[in-house]
Amino acid sequence: MSSPSQVIRSGVEKLQESFDGSLEGKKIQQLAANTKDVHDPKNRITTDYGVTQSNTDTWLRVGTEDTTGPLLLEDHASREKIHRFDHGAFGTFKMHKSLEAYTTAGVLTDTSRSTPLFQRFSTVLGSRGSADTVRDVRGFALKFYTDEGNWDIVGNNIPVFFIQDALKFPDVIHAGKPEPHNEVPQAQSAHNNFWDFQYLHTEATHMFMWQQSDRTIPRSYRMMEGFGVNTFKLVNKNGEAFLTKFHFRPHLGVHSFVWDEALKLAGQDPDFHRKDLEEAITSGCFPKWDFGVQLVPEGDEDKFEFDLLDATKLWPEEEVPIQFVGEYELNRNVDEYFTQVEQVAFCTGHLVPGIHHSDDPLLQGRSFSYSDTQLSRIGINFQELPINKPVCPVMSHNRDGQSRHTITKGTVNYWPNRFESAPPAKPEEGPHVYVDYAAKAAGMKTRLASKKFKEHYNQAQLFYNSMSPPEKAHIAAALSFELDHCDDPVVYNRMCERLTDIDLELAQNVAELVGAPIPQKANRPNHGKTAKNLSQTQIQPKEPTIETRRVAIIIADGFDRVSYDGIVTALKAAKAIPYTIAPKRSPIFAAGESKDSGKGVKPDHNLEGMRSTMFDSIFVPGGADSIATLRKSGRALHWVREAYAHLKAIGATGEAVELIKDACALPGMDFSTSGEVINSYGVVTAAKVMPESFKETIKMAKGAKDFVDAYTFEISQHKNFEREMNGFPMMIAF
């Protein structure tokens, strides 16, 4: 088998041989002269100006083996490397409890304020236009328009990151993006280069476990947790500093798709998440998140076994509790995508008085690169675009440049000037003045990370140990899918070996499926520790709710009007969104209704125009003629089977129980044969129903005897994972 170097060298030689003096030949020769072989063994990394480099993993900084200090701007090679390197909505932010003991930032201390904000959600790996539901880390960026200036949090839906030092940003992004020789695959991490990077960077172990969990296939932006990721510093009026992490926990809980569901939606409705957010806001069901902080007084850093400045580590809530002190909601959709969502510019360096940088090396490099990115992407005056413009007064002596909007009158544009015009503020003028925190920086000028940065496995084990059985099964399946797409045995063999650093059984299960040698022993023992709120199952609404859940009601001519009207009324009362689905989008008439009556129901979609993947649940009312038609429809049966396999709540009344039995009557499943309500693995049936069975006042509860209460409770649980643990989805074709 030819090596990559041989293949490329052969290609270059063929180009050169083909030169025949023609115009085409000249172009071929020109290309050959500019072709380099990355696999040439004589190659060493250099700067773009030709200087050979000895370290391109760690930014030059002030530090020691025990401490991590600030990065140095003099590191030109690192600056050169970092240079190379969605949907949104408007909302409001309020504090319920002041943080004045920890910071002077008005946005975090003034409980009377209502701060406007803009939020943008995004994927990372895909190009613009790639599907919303791919397995990927989601960007979770917020711009607060405060009275003291703009404050940006450029976070993710995962609390940690792949790398510890910003200098590795270009490498991790290049490894994750489509491979350079063929631009394949798009919006996927299931390829050789991504997993090659993961193996060679042990610091990424914790993050790739999160990336392979359900967190990266979220059901909705509205059901994602958000994290600031980096460690920041809050400073109070006494000059005391506190290291901090920012958290955003959704009111609707944290929920995800199952993998088959996400795959199908990528083709059926690639804009699913963006449409879902817009639909919720338009319907008045505003997404909400609680805002929380973790706080550690400066000087207490040595009390932890991990480094608080390491972005590949989280702060377990058992050690540093989260204080939830505020809330925000998204309540207005954008008016124009390009000028608002596309042109919004976030920078981690956009901080307001009372909020400061820590020496987190990932954060320090991000603050440099993000500003540089906006200069390249939008231009030097990107802050003047309406979506980026602060609401507070802006004045500086900056002038000119591309797309300058501001017209500044006067005869000077520098400081100091003879008129003393627009001088710097004095610290005593008030808390709105930004005064840099006087942090100590002692150590050698070196490319060195602290000792604690070198431990890479404890929290990967902590995360995996904290997962529920279904989540562990999903991680194993995700790793098996990803590594099955790697065709280089070196890549998948290595990765299966790496998994023994986390859990031997996990490594063995994945190795068997991907064809790697099955490990026989763990590389390191599992410490057995767990932490709360790492599992999605622990982050649920305070009370069961089906608000904004999409429910498909499947009918055909001859349907039971009482059951149909009853469930529609009940769902709307609970702020769910019912959709009527039928074999056709022409009016559908209930049993006993004449087609001349004008009382038919006009469906929202037909069975071919939509799929079960686009809904959280399906309900089928009875009606002998309706069910006779649907039982003969392969598509209708597929709808039920697919929803069943995707662990969704299914409800059926009257004759519709027979349709459900056609689709999923597996050994162990029970169905109603009378007026008794039977809930079997989230399939809720009642063979006989009375008008009083449907009511607007819903009391969702586990084990409810009333049909509507039992059915809506199952919808509120998002998925029935017990169904999956019993292996039922694998017994039907979907």
Side-chain angles (χ1 to χ4, degrees):
M1 182 177 180
S2 299
S3 70
S5 178
Q6 292 171 327
V7 171
I8 293 177
R9 192 154 42 246
S10 173
V12 172
E13 289 167 356
K14 287 180 180 178
L15 283 175
Q16 292 172 331
E17 289 169 3
S18 66
F19 175 59
D20 58 6
S22 66
L23 191 61
E24 181 182 7
K26 289 179 180 179
K27 186 61 183 178
I28 291 173
Q29 187 180 49
Q30 183 189 65
L31 291 172
N34 286 279
T35 301
K36 299 177 182 178
D37 178 5
V38 70
H39 299 286
D40 190 327
K42 298 190 296 293
N43 281 343
R44 296 294 182 270
I45 292 178
T46 75
T47 63
D48 286 348
Y49 52 92
V51 177
T52 302
Q53 298 296 291
S54 62
N55 185 322
T56 62
D57 294 331
T58 310
W59 203 301
L60 189 65
R61 64 181 56 131
V62 176
T64 69
E65 286 193 350
D66 298 312
T67 63
T68 299
L71 309 188
L72 296 175
L73 198 60
E74 71 178 68
D75 189 354
H76 182 85
S78 293
R79 290 171 59 198
E80 175 189 271
K81 181 176 179 180
I82 206 72
H83 279 326
R84 302 303 182 85
F85 177 33
D86 342 30
H87 193 85
F90 294 92
T92 52
F93 172 78
K94 286 186 67 70
M95 292 291 289
H96 303 316
K97 178 183 177 182
S98 175
L99 289 175
E100 61 184 349
Y102 307 102
T103 180
T104 60
V107 66
L108 299 180
T109 59
D110 186 350
T111 56
S112 67
R113 286 191 189 187
S114 182
T115 303
L117 65 82
F118 183 82
Q119 177 160 19
R120 186 171 71 180
F121 302 98
S122 60
T123 53
V124 175
L125 292 182
S127 301
R128 182 177 177 182
S130 62
D132 285 355
T133 60
V134 294
R135 181 180 296 282
D136 199 0
V137 180
R138 297 311 196 277
F140 196 101
L142 293 155
K143 184 181 291 290
F144 299 85
Y145 303 98
T146 84
D147 290 347
E148 295 78 29
N150 289 353
W151 172 36
D152 292 354
I153 295 181
V154 195
N156 288 331
N157 72 325
I158 289 175
V160 294
F161 202 61
F162 292 104
I163 54 175
Q164 297 171 322
D165 193 301
L167 188 51
K168 298 302 297 177
F169 253 121
D171 294 314
V172 68
I173 297 301
H174 286 167
K177 290 287 187 178
E179 298 197 0
H181 63 293
N182 61 3
E183 192 65 10
V184 172
Q186 177 66 249
Q188 290 188 59
S189 55
H191 60 96
N192 292 323
N193 285 359
F194 177 82
W195 288 105
D196 185 39
F197 183 94
Q198 302 309 303
Y199 177 80
L200 293 169
H201 291 77
T202 55
E203 70 199 66
T205 306
H206 186 199
M207 175 65 167
F208 83 61
M209 290 299 291
W210 281 82
Q211 192 257 352
Q212 291 297 288
S213 77
D214 292 341
R215 297 278 185 152
T216 49
I217 46 173
R219 156 61 180 85
S220 168
Y221 291 142
R222 303 174 292 110
M223 300 170 193
M224 291 194 320
E225 199 170 9
F227 305 91
V229 180
N230 292 116
T231 300
F232 290 86
K233 191 177 289 185
L234 299 184
V235 179
N236 66 16
K237 62 183 179 182
N238 300 321
E240 298 166 323
F242 302 83
L243 296 178
T244 188
K245 294 267 195 181
F246 298 119
H247 296 258
F248 305 93
R249 188 158 289 174
H251 284 202
L252 292 176
V254 179
H255 303 288
S256 297
F257 291 121
V258 295
W259 181 229
D260 184 74
E261 189 179 14
L263 282 175
K264 289 174 176 175
L265 270 170
Q268 294 165 351
D269 191 355
D271 307 311
F272 182 87
H273 281 150
R274 285 166 282 173
K275 289 160 66 175
D276 170 85
L277 179 64
E278 184 178 35
E279 176 184 77
I281 295 173
T282 299
S283 67
C285 296
F286 301 143
K288 296 180 180 179
W289 286 259
D290 288 324
F291 168 70
V293 292
Q294 288 177 293
L295 296 160
V296 175
E298 189 175 54
D300 286 358
E301 298 93 323
D302 294 337
K303 295 181 179 180
F304 301 87
E305 67 176 12
F306 55 91
D307 197 311
L308 297 180
L309 301 178
D310 183 353
T312 69
K313 306 294 194 302
L314 55 82
W315 300 359
E317 291 185 44
E318 290 83 356
E319 298 184 55
V320 188
I322 300 176
Q323 300 181 45
F324 286 102
V325 292
E327 175 184 295
Y328 81 90
E329 70 174 20
L330 298 179
N331 48 33
R332 185 164 65 87
N333 287 312
V334 300
D335 296 306
E336 185 182 24
Y337 179 87
F338 182 83
T339 53
Q340 294 173 320
V341 181
E342 185 68 22
Q343 291 195 140
V344 69
F346 296 96
C347 299
T348 52
H350 288 175
L351 303 174
V352 293
I355 306 174
H356 299 258
H357 282 94
S358 72
D359 287 336
D360 176 340
L362 184 69
L363 172 62
Q364 293 216 341
R366 288 180 80 194
S367 291
F368 185 89
S369 68
Y370 277 46
S371 295
D372 185 74
T373 295
Q374 308 308 348
L375 299 183
S376 301
R377 189 171 72 94
I378 304 177
I380 190 66
N381 289 304
F382 70 90
Q383 306 275 31
E384 295 195 3
L385 293 172
I387 192 64
N388 298 317
K389 197 171 184 178
V391 295
C392 61
V394 174
M395 171 54 70
S396 75
H397 294 297
N398 297 331
R399 298 290 189 274
D400 309 332
Q402 176 186 352
S403 301
R404 178 74 172 179
H405 295 135
T406 300
I407 301 169
T408 308
K409 297 195 298 183
T411 59
V412 291
N413 55 0
Y414 54 90
W415 177 261
N417 60 66
R418 63 189 181 278
F419 305 105
E420 297 190 359
S421 296
K426 297 177 181 178
E428 57 267 24
E429 289 184 34
H432 66 285
V433 179
Y434 196 96
V435 179
D436 291 296
Y437 176 67
K440 294 181 180 178
M444 302 292 290
K445 184 170 71 174
T446 179
R447 297 185 188 274
L448 182 69
S450 73
K451 291 178 181 177
K452 289 182 179 179
F453 268 65
K454 298 175 183 176
E455 197 294 305
H456 299 150
Y457 301 115
N458 283 343
Q459 290 205 352
Q461 289 185 343
L462 182 75
F463 175 75
Y464 185 71
N465 294 346
S466 303
M467 296 295 100
S468 65
E471 289 171 312
K472 286 184 177 179
H474 296 166
I475 289 172
L479 286 163
S480 300
F481 177 92
E482 297 266 319
L483 296 178
D484 184 69
H485 283 67
C486 298
D487 55 17
D488 188 336
V490 171
V491 173
Y492 58 78
N493 289 351
R494 278 176 166 182
M495 279 308 307
C496 290
E497 188 65 28
R498 170 57 41 73
L499 294 177
T500 65
D501 291 315
I502 302 168
D503 184 84
L504 179 59
E505 184 178 1
L506 171 66
Q508 291 174 331
N509 290 340
V510 174
E512 183 176 15
L513 285 170
V514 303
I518 299 177
Q520 298 304 309
K521 64 177 183 178
N523 281 351
R524 55 187 282 119
N526 189 314
H527 52 60
K529 297 178 183 177
T530 61
K532 65 181 181 181
N533 292 329
L534 301 187
S535 168
Q536 292 187 177
T537 61
Q538 296 177 350
I539 308 174
Q540 301 299 319
K542 297 179 179 66
E543 298 291 337
T545 178
I546 62 171
E547 181 175 322
T548 73
R549 292 293 185 169
R550 297 160 59 93
V551 181
I553 305 171
I554 303 176
I555 61 173
D557 285 320
F559 69 92
D560 175 11
R561 170 68 77 172
V562 171
S563 296
Y564 173 84
D565 287 345
I567 202 68
V568 168
T569 300
L571 291 172
K572 287 183 176 179
K575 296 186 178 180
I577 307 173
Y579 288 83
T580 301
I581 310 295
K584 57 187 178 181
R585 200 154 72 167
S586 301
I588 304 295
F589 296 87
E593 288 180 351
S594 167
K595 292 188 177 182
D596 298 325
S597 66
K599 296 180 179 179
V601 173
K602 190 174 189 306
D604 296 290
H605 299 282
N606 65 53
L607 284 166
E608 296 297 330
M610 284 281 165
R611 292 290 190 273
S612 75
T613 48
M614 300 169 193
F615 302 92
D616 295 291
S617 174
I618 61 174
F619 171 78
V620 188
D625 291 344
S626 174
I627 298 308
T629 299
L630 294 175
R631 291 182 76 180
K632 295 176 184 177
S633 168
R635 182 61 71 201
L637 285 169
H638 179 259
W639 265 72
V640 178
R641 288 192 178 117
E642 189 173 54
Y644 181 82
H646 291 162
L647 315 181
K648 297 175 182 180
I650 297 173
T653 57
E655 295 88 346
V657 176
E658 295 304 312
L659 172 67
I660 306 305
K661 289 172 68 175
D662 289 346
C664 51
L666 300 171
M669 289 292 300
D670 294 319
F671 303 90
S672 174
T673 58
S674 64
E676 181 185 7
V677 175
I678 299 294
N679 184 348
S680 182
Y681 298 95
V683 178
V684 183
T685 54
K688 295 180 181 179
V689 291
M690 304 297 289
E692 55 267 26
S693 300
F694 298 95
K695 56 192 190 312
E696 290 190 36
T697 304
I698 298 173
K699 297 179 180 179
M700 301 175 214
K702 187 174 183 179
K705 301 301 182 183
D706 177 86
F707 176 82
V708 172
D709 290 345
Y711 174 53
T712 53
F713 176 78
E714 286 300 324
I715 300 174
S716 76
Q717 299 305 290
H718 180 62
K719 302 283 186 186
N720 188 288
F721 291 111
E722 187 181 5
R723 193 188 303 168
E724 181 180 44
M725 290 294 96
N726 275 23
F728 288 151
M730 301 306 294
M731 299 180 191
I732 61 173
F734 62 97

